[in-house]
Every structure is written in structure tokens, then in C-alpha cells.
Amino acid sequence: MAAVEELRADVALVGVGAAGGSLLRQLVRGGRARAGDRPLQVVALEPPAGAGQRSPERSWCTWGPPGWRHDADVALRWSRVRVVDAAGGAVDARLDPEEYRLVRSGDFEAAVAAECAAAQGVELRTAVVEAVQDSPAGALVRARTPGGGELLVRARWVLDSRPPVLPEHVPAGRTVLLQHFRGWRVRCPGPVFDPGAATLMDFRVPQPARGAAFAYVLPASAHEALVEHTVFSADAWPAAAHEEALGRYLREVLGVDGWEVLGAEAGVIPMTDVPLPARAGASVFRLGAAAGAVRPSTGYAFAAVQRQVDAVVAALAAGEEPLAPLPHRRRHLAMDAVLLRALDSGAVAGGELFARLFARVPAPVLLRFLDGRSSVAEDLAVMAAAPRVAMLRTVGALLLRAPARRRSAAGPGDARGVPPGR
């Protein structure tokens, strides 16, 4: 009979990725997890490497001014961004004093583990969580250790940062798209890439009937870059289809004769206006993508996760329940809902829309909008750059709560267990 181990904690954290790791770091700054002036006991659970419940290593990107609190984790950074339309016309913009930056999940998670090992009050355990539920004195987490034993964690609060599960049936008036991608870290024999610029979207790839497709290029040098093929659509593509598109892009668009694949990344990110509540029980709360951190219009989440983490840390310090707030402004979510429906219904061509926005709105303003830091005046500038007739018709459809296009049976399942945004 397998052994049963029981632990007690103030906070049990499920998942130590972008959201869970960021929370741990903020809790142990100063060398000890604390709730105000009181020491805090935290047990964090993460599946073992290679387990199906654990996301593979991947890259997270965000942008903002210098002096970022995770600056030591940044592997690559760029002061210029580029968007290329289907005809090859490029918008190349400087972000100074801001920057676009990439953090590798493996580096980030290693730094979190090192900080927690040097701090008091945090215990990191390797286990696969099987159930999370309320209990009379708080909440209970049931997990399975690599050796097959049962681990029970009884805590006052549980923060669950595992990826969201999409509804099988999309509510009327709501939209669910999937951002699915596959990327190669390639090394080319000759100079191919501009190491000073991150290409956020290159639309010189075949476009789907509804949604959008583009290449995403993050150079490390003139010879090496992470090159991804990304699609916004109702259902995810198989890996082979993405890899065929990647090969065609490298050969036919960038003119590369040969390359070496150093590594690969893949993911499926939900882009939806379906509400994802942060409360999952009386003492159980969600954090990160499962609590709505993913920006519906882009799939980015890392910056929003930091806003949630700050609020949760402040709540714990005050002795209050750690309920993560919605990290996006309601007007931005309303604009995102219109964009998602316009893409999903085919009211606008995604490639044309995004290229038009970057051509008509200064890149720093558009990135502030996508990050949720834009002013009302800047939001109005973004709205003015969009195709008005198509967007007004889409608003009408949303107000009438017209049903969304039906998803295939494979759609929601493909999005389960995905990493939290780019």
C-alpha cells in the first residue's frame, strides 16, 4: 500500500510556471514568505519534468520600460519591432525607451527554485495534483508523488495556476478562438535575420478563410532566431501543418537554402471573451491564465500575470482572501470581444486588420493598448484605425447575442493543458 504524506500550510500553490513562479518570487523577496508581519507557510506543487500535466520549456514575451523586476531573467531584448503585410510592406518602429523582451521558461523556473531554496517558509514539492477541493478548515489538495505515494496538503487557501479548461459549448454572444503555433529555433549558414528587431507579425504566409496566420521572428543574431508559425482559428492545426508552413516561410519568404533546427516550441492559447472567474471555491482561487490573465485579442499574458500577483500578495499581507482581480480594463475587454467576433465570423481578414492597425497607429501606442496601459485617447486612436463598417456590424451582432460559429468536437480538447500565453 502506497504511503500517505500530509502537509499543512497557509497557502498551497498548484503550478510553478509564469503565474505561480511570479507569486513565489514576490512572497519570498526579503528571504521569507510573509503575510504582513506574520511568517507565511507555503507549499508549492509542480509536476515532474516530462509529465503530461507539465508544459514543456517555452518562451514568454512582454514589453515595457527599463527597470523591470524580472530583468535578470531576460534572455533577449529588442528596441525595434516590425510588422510586414502580405505584399511585403513593412512597418518598422522604435520602442525607445521601452523594449520587447523574451524570457525562457526554463531559466525563469530555475531562478524561482533557487530563490525559494534560499528562503524560509516555502516548500517546493514534485507531485501531480489530482484534486483540489474546499474542506471545513480551508482547502485540500490531493496529489501523487513520482514514487506513487499520496500527498495531501491542507491549507487555509489554495491558489491554482494550472491552465484553463475551455467550455465545450460556447455561450451565446461569446467567442472562442485558439492561437496555436509551432516554432523552431534555427541556425542558418549565412546572415538572414536583423538582430535589432523583433518581427511580431509577418503576413507573407497563406491566410485561413477566417482568423489570421503569420510568422513571428525573434532573432538572437544574424544567423539564429526563434521562428514561429502562428494561426488564430477555431481549431488547432496538427504539428505537421505548422512545420510545413515554417519550411515554406524560411525557403520562399526569407530565401534560406538550409538551416539547422536547434529546438522547437509549440502551444495552444485560448483567445476568448468567455469569463474565467478567479474564484473556484470558498477557499480555492485561480491565478494566471485560468483567472483571465490572457489578453483575448493577442494571447499575451505575462504582464497581466504580474498585476494579478501584486494584488494577491497585497491581499495576503492584509490577511484577506487572495482573490486575483481581472487584470484587464473592461473597455479593453469589450474591444477585444468585438475583434474576436470579427475574426471568427470573417467580417474582417485578420492579416489585413493587424497590418492596418500597425500602419496607422504608432507601435508604442498599439503595444500599450495590447498591454492594457493605454489611455482613453489612445484607445480611440486604435478604434479609428479599424475598419468601421465591419466593426459596427460586429457590435450589432454581439448586442443581439448572435450565436458564435460552432466549433468542431476537437477544438476545446486541443486547448486543455496549454501554457499561459506568450
Side-chain angles (χ1 to χ4, degrees):
M1 183 175 179
V4 178
E5 181 183 5
E6 185 169 330
L7 300 174
R8 294 186 178 274
D10 297 296
V11 175
L13 176 63
V14 180
V16 190
S22 295
L23 177 65
L24 284 177
R25 287 182 120 174
Q26 292 305 105
L27 285 175
V28 303
R29 293 282 162 94
R32 152 107 236 178
R34 307 196 69 84
D37 295 329
R38 183 175 65 83
L40 193 69
Q41 190 66 36
V42 180
V43 173
L45 305 175
E46 179 75 346
Q53 298 85 354
R54 183 165 181 168
S55 299
E57 288 197 17
R58 57 214 178 274
S59 299
W60 299 318
C61 289
T62 184
W63 56 88
W68 192 44
R69 67 187 180 203
H70 297 305
D71 197 62
D73 306 309
V74 176
L76 298 169
R77 62 186 82 222
W78 302 268
S79 60
R80 290 170 29 238
V81 294
R82 180 178 296 140
V83 172
V84 185
D85 64 26
V91 175
D92 197 316
R94 296 197 66 83
L95 298 181
D96 292 339
E98 299 199 353
E99 62 184 9
Y100 193 83
R101 48 206 173 207
L102 178 147
V103 175
R104 296 193 175 103
S105 66
D107 297 341
F108 182 84
E109 290 164 8
V112 171
E115 288 187 40
C116 290
Q120 294 179 310
V122 175
E123 185 172 355
L124 293 178
R125 297 295 298 268
T126 300
V128 175
V129 172
E130 297 178 336
V132 178
Q133 61 194 65
D134 282 312
S135 69
L140 173 66
V141 180
R142 296 182 181 273
R144 189 69 55 184
T145 65
E150 185 177 10
L151 176 62
L152 303 179
V153 182
R154 300 186 185 278
R156 176 66 187 94
W157 311 109
V158 170
L159 287 161
D160 190 344
S161 67
R162 290 175 295 178
V165 176
L166 296 180
E168 294 187 3
H169 302 286
V170 181
R174 300 292 185 177
T175 306
V176 175
L177 286 179
L178 301 179
Q179 178 181 155
H180 47 99
F181 59 91
R182 186 164 183 83
W184 289 335
R185 189 162 59 88
V186 298
R187 179 183 293 141
C188 302
V192 174
F193 308 107
D194 176 359
T199 298
L200 304 185
M201 292 178 163
D202 187 340
F203 292 103
R204 292 175 292 176
V205 298
Q207 296 296 308
R210 298 179 179 182
F214 55 90
Y216 179 51
V217 183
L218 301 178
S221 69
H223 295 262
E224 186 178 322
L226 173 62
V227 183
E228 291 184 353
H229 180 256
T230 302
V231 179
F232 298 170
S233 63
D235 302 300
W237 289 12
H242 280 295
E243 293 199 343
E244 179 184 358
L246 275 169
R248 289 179 59 185
Y249 177 74
L250 286 165
R251 286 191 305 271
E252 299 175 10
V253 177
L254 298 187
V256 181
D257 292 329
W259 58 85
E260 177 186 1
V261 177
L262 305 176
E265 295 187 11
V268 184
I269 301 170
M271 301 171 64
T272 181
D273 58 350
V274 174
L276 296 171
R279 182 181 287 277
S283 298
V284 181
F285 304 89
R286 299 186 181 96
L287 181 69
V294 175
R295 183 69 189 264
S297 60
T298 66
Y300 285 98
F302 205 84
V305 161
Q306 307 310 310
R307 294 192 285 269
Q308 286 187 333
V309 163
D310 287 346
V312 168
V313 170
L316 289 171
E320 301 171 354
E321 60 181 23
L323 179 65
L326 191 65
H328 306 295
R329 294 172 177 168
R330 296 195 179 277
R331 69 175 187 267
H332 292 156
L333 292 175
M335 295 170 71
D336 287 355
V338 175
L339 175 61
L340 288 177
R341 177 55 66 90
L343 291 173
D344 191 44
S345 66
V348 298
E352 296 177 8
L353 172 63
F354 287 108
R356 172 175 174 155
L357 289 176
F358 273 94
R360 298 188 177 194
V361 180
V365 172
L366 194 53
L367 288 176
R368 279 198 296 274
F369 166 74
L370 297 177
D371 198 31
R373 295 182 287 122
S374 54
S375 66
V376 173
E378 289 171 333
D379 293 345
L380 292 174
V382 173
M383 293 173 62
R388 297 181 186 179
V389 174
M391 291 302 187
L392 287 173
R393 287 175 178 170
T394 303
V395 170
L398 285 172
L399 292 174
L400 293 173
R401 299 183 65 82
R405 182 162 58 96
R406 180 173 296 178
R407 298 161 50 80
S408 74
D414 287 340
R416 296 170 191 263
V418 300
R422 286 198 180 279

